Amino acid sequence: VYKTLHSVESDFTILCFYDPDCSHCKKEVPLLKDLKERVIETGLQLQIVAVNVELEPEKWHNFIKEHQLNDWVHLENFNLKSDFRKYYDIYKTPELFLLDKNKKILAKRLGVEQLEDFIQNKIIENN
C-alpha cells in the first residue's frame, strides 16, 4: 500500500530512518515500539513511519517481522527515486524526527528517552 508522509493522520509522528544491520537500530527500535505503546495509553495518537535506508528487501522484511512492527508505516527506497538522505541530512542510523499533526518537525536527532520527555512536555503544554 502506497502512503505519503502527509497522509499519516496522528497527533505525533516519529520518522525513523534505520538500517536493518545497524546494531544501534536493533537496540533503539524495541525502545521506540515501547514508547509508542506508552504514548497511546495516554490517549494520544502516535504513528511511527520507519524508513529503511538500505537496498536489500529480504533484510528489510526480516527486520519488520523479527521486531513485530506490523502497526508501523514502512517505507523503502529500493529503486532510489527519493533523495531523502539529502533532504533529511541522514548520514547515520538510527535518526529520529518528531513531527506534529501537520508534519512540522518538532525535534530531531534525539534518542528514544529524549523523545519521550519531549512528548510528555508537549502533552503538559497542551493541557
Side-chain angles (χ1 to χ4, degrees):
V1 174
Y2 177 77
K3 276 197 168 200
T4 65
L5 181 59
H6 286 280
S7 71
V8 175
E9 295 183 18
S10 186
D11 295 323
F12 294 101
T13 301
I14 295 176
L15 188 55
C16 172
F17 294 91
Y18 74 97
D19 176 345
D21 288 329
C22 165
S23 62
H24 294 291
C25 298
K26 291 176 183 178
K27 292 176 188 173
E28 289 286 303
V29 163
L31 298 175
L32 197 54
K33 183 178 177 183
D34 292 343
L35 169 63
K36 179 180 178 181
E37 291 172 12
R38 287 192 300 277
V39 169
I40 288 173
E41 287 174 0
T42 70
L44 284 174
Q45 297 172 336
L46 173 66
Q47 185 55 267
I48 299 174
V49 176
V51 182
N52 172 38
V53 302
E54 290 304 317
L55 302 175
E56 299 178 53
E58 187 173 332
K59 287 183 180 181
W60 178 55
H61 289 290
N62 289 341
F63 188 86
I64 293 168
K65 185 176 179 179
E66 176 185 339
H67 293 282
Q68 300 175 357
L69 307 175
N70 300 327
D71 63 337
W72 292 17
V73 175
H74 296 280
L75 304 176
E76 49 77 15
N77 191 37
F78 299 133
N79 57 12
L80 302 174
K81 286 188 176 184
S82 172
D83 201 5
F84 67 85
R85 289 178 191 268
K86 175 183 168 188
Y87 296 124
Y88 288 93
D89 193 27
I90 303 301
Y91 54 88
K92 67 178 183 70
T93 55
E95 283 289 10
L96 305 174
F97 292 75
L98 178 64
L99 312 176
D100 69 8
K101 65 182 174 184
N102 298 314
K103 306 307 176 257
K104 176 184 170 193
I105 297 174
L106 299 175
K108 58 185 175 181
R109 292 184 169 61
L110 297 179
V112 174
E113 289 180 15
Q114 292 92 359
L115 274 176
E116 184 164 16
D117 290 342
F118 196 93
I119 292 169
Q120 292 301 329
N121 287 334
K122 284 291 182 190
I123 293 168
I124 292 168
E125 285 177 14
N126 293 331
N127 287 332

